[in-house]
Structures are given as C-alpha cells and as structure tokens.
Amino acid sequence: VRKFSGINEDTSLPLNGDSCFWFAWFEGISGGGAAYSVSSSTENFQKVLEEYGNKGYSLVSSAFSHGQWMGWWEILTSKSKWIMRSSTDAFIEELENQKRNGYVPTSLAYGDGMWLAWLWQDSNANAGKLVATSTLHGLVTEMNSAISSGRKLQSSAYGGDGVWIASFSPKSNNADSSWIITPSFGELSSHSNQMIGEGRFASAITYGKSVWLGWYDANPNTPSAYALNSTDAGFVDLLNANLKGPNMMVTSMAYGCEGH
C-alpha cells in the first residue's frame, strides 16, 4: 500500500482545521527495560543522552516542540552512540562516516536548530541507504525505490533548510511495506487504523512541510496502537501510563499540525 494524498508542492495544501497534536505509536515489544525523558532545553537533553546511554539505554524515538525534547528509551543489546549537529551538511557527512564505521541511525529528529541521530551498531550498515532531499517528490521516489529493493524506512526527520533525511535498512522478511504522505491528520489516523488491522506497525512517523509521513512494516503477531494528545502534559501522561501499564515500545513519535 503506497498512498500519496494528491499533494502538489506548487499549490496551497487542502488543510482543514487548525489543530496540533503529539502522535505516538506503541508496539507490543520491549527491551530489557524502558523509560521516557522530557528535557526543557537542548543542553539538558544532551546530558540525558549521555546519562541514559551510559546506563545501557537506547533512544528509540524522539521529537521536539514548544522548547521541549521528548524521548522514549529501551535497554537494548546493540552498541550505540549519538550525534547532534546544527549544520545540515555536517550532519549528513557525519551520518555517512558513521555508516562506513558500521552504525545506522535508528532515531532521527530535528529541533531547536539541531539535528539529532541515535545510532546502533549494525553488521548490515553498508547495505542500507541514507537519503537527503528537499522535495516530497524526491522522498516519494526514494521510498518507492526502497520497497522495490527490499529496504524499509528505519527513521526520518524534517528540518534545517527544509530537508528530509531518511535512513533505509534491509528488511528481515519479504512482507510488503506501506507508506502514506498526507496533509490530513484524519487520513493519517484512518490509514493507521487500517495498518493495525493488517498487522503492521509504524517504524517512522514524521511531520514536516505541512504533511504527515507514516511508514509501516509487518509484525502480525504483535499488538499495535497509536495515541495522540494536543498538550505536552497530556502526551507525557500517555507515555507515563504506557510505562506503568502495557509497557509497549514507542517506535515513533512526532508533533505536527493541521491548518499550519
């Protein structure tokens, strides 16, 4: 399933309403332990990245809005590291360097003028592909190419000077992937419900250029769910409730709007 919601980059997008949301995808898997973090500044978040990394946690997903960095963490066995850069070109160059050294970005985000990548050591790093494009057409072309070549979207982010950065990695099975790009949050929700019904989960949800991007892969024997909240405090309550209750992995999170 590949869906591009009739968007023409040269015209105004058909947006409705004027609402902004935090969006999180929950997958019924977990590492050796989980945690979430809320950082009120980039400096504070950098300290959290260092502290949690030293404790054996990996950053699975993160997003920035209203001056705050949100993050979901899991204890995983793979070696990991993180990088932050303000320059888009320097960030891409460092990602390419890390790829050659056997590390792939499993979480990408942009906020407060900074690009963030959390990277895992992966023996198949060189079989993946890193993409940077300033157009939706370029992004769609790369996603279709990934499906044709047996890759999945591992992580993505939008920021800097209007650039999409996406990291594709080899799939572990032959199941077809699905993606959607839409300016409508209602359409994203409807498509997500369909994906849950088909036994898929979202490995990447990204908001940028007034559109939502969702990428879904098959995991038929594992429960999935998504949740949204319009306030920072409400979203933190969702993360906290998940941690204390079902403790599902937050595979992706994003903040975005309709009508903006």
Side-chain angles (χ1 to χ4, degrees):
V1 181
R2 310 173 198 183
K3 191 168 188 178
F4 189 62
S5 188
I7 299 169
N8 184 335
E9 292 181 273
D10 298 323
T11 61
S12 298
L13 298 176
L15 301 176
N16 296 308
D18 191 24
S19 300
C20 299
F21 303 93
W22 283 99
F23 183 100
W25 191 279
F26 301 89
E27 183 71 359
I29 54 177
S30 182
Y36 69 88
S37 61
V38 182
S39 304
S40 58
S41 69
T42 297
E43 182 181 7
N44 177 260
F45 190 44
Q46 290 172 329
K47 294 178 181 177
V48 171
L49 291 166
E50 197 68 25
E51 177 185 350
Y52 277 44
N54 289 337
K55 292 180 178 179
Y57 285 93
S58 288
L59 184 65
V60 177
S61 57
S62 60
F64 177 88
S65 186
H66 303 137
Q68 295 188 109
W69 289 94
M70 305 279 192
W72 185 266
W73 302 80
E74 297 276 347
I75 293 180
L76 301 169
T77 57
S78 177
K79 291 183 179 179
S80 59
K81 61 177 69 175
W82 62 273
I83 58 174
M84 256 191 177
R85 299 287 187 274
S86 58
S87 164
T88 300
D89 290 341
F91 184 68
I92 294 169
E93 182 179 0
E94 182 61 24
L95 289 178
E96 292 286 8
N97 288 337
Q98 294 296 336
K99 181 173 176 285
R100 286 189 287 270
N101 291 329
Y103 283 85
V104 297
T106 55
S107 179
L108 290 167
Y110 182 86
D112 197 26
M114 301 291 288
W115 289 98
L116 164 69
W118 188 274
L119 305 107
W120 291 350
Q121 191 175 49
D122 187 342
S123 58
N124 290 323
N126 289 325
K129 185 177 183 180
L130 184 69
V131 170
T133 177
S134 59
T135 69
L136 286 171
H137 175 74
L139 183 63
V140 169
T141 299
E142 292 293 348
M143 290 193 297
N144 285 334
S145 174
I147 290 177
S148 299
S149 59
R151 294 190 179 102
K152 64 181 180 181
L153 180 60
Q154 185 76 40
S155 57
S156 58
Y158 176 84
D161 300 320
V163 176
W164 295 91
I165 297 179
S167 175
F168 297 92
S169 61
K171 293 201 295 186
S172 58
N173 56 53
N174 294 322
D176 190 23
S177 298
S178 168
W179 61 261
I180 184 173
I181 292 178
T182 176
S184 166
F185 186 82
E187 190 170 11
L188 174 70
S189 297
S190 176
H191 190 75
S192 295
N193 286 330
Q194 179 186 341
M195 295 298 97
I196 291 174
E198 294 179 4
R200 301 176 188 269
F201 77 102
S203 61
I205 297 288
T206 306
Y207 180 81
K209 212 163 189 174
S210 299
V211 298
W212 294 90
L213 160 66
W215 180 282
Y216 308 83
D217 285 306
N219 198 0
N221 299 318
T222 304
S224 287
Y226 69 90
L228 63 145
N229 200 280
S230 60
T231 69
D232 297 346
F235 186 68
V236 171
D237 287 343
L238 285 174
L239 298 179
N240 189 51
N242 174 60
L243 190 64
K244 292 181 177 180
N247 196 17
M248 301 168 76
M249 184 181 291
V250 183
T251 58
S252 55
M253 65 171 70
Y255 184 85
C257 304
E258 273 196 288
H260 286 212

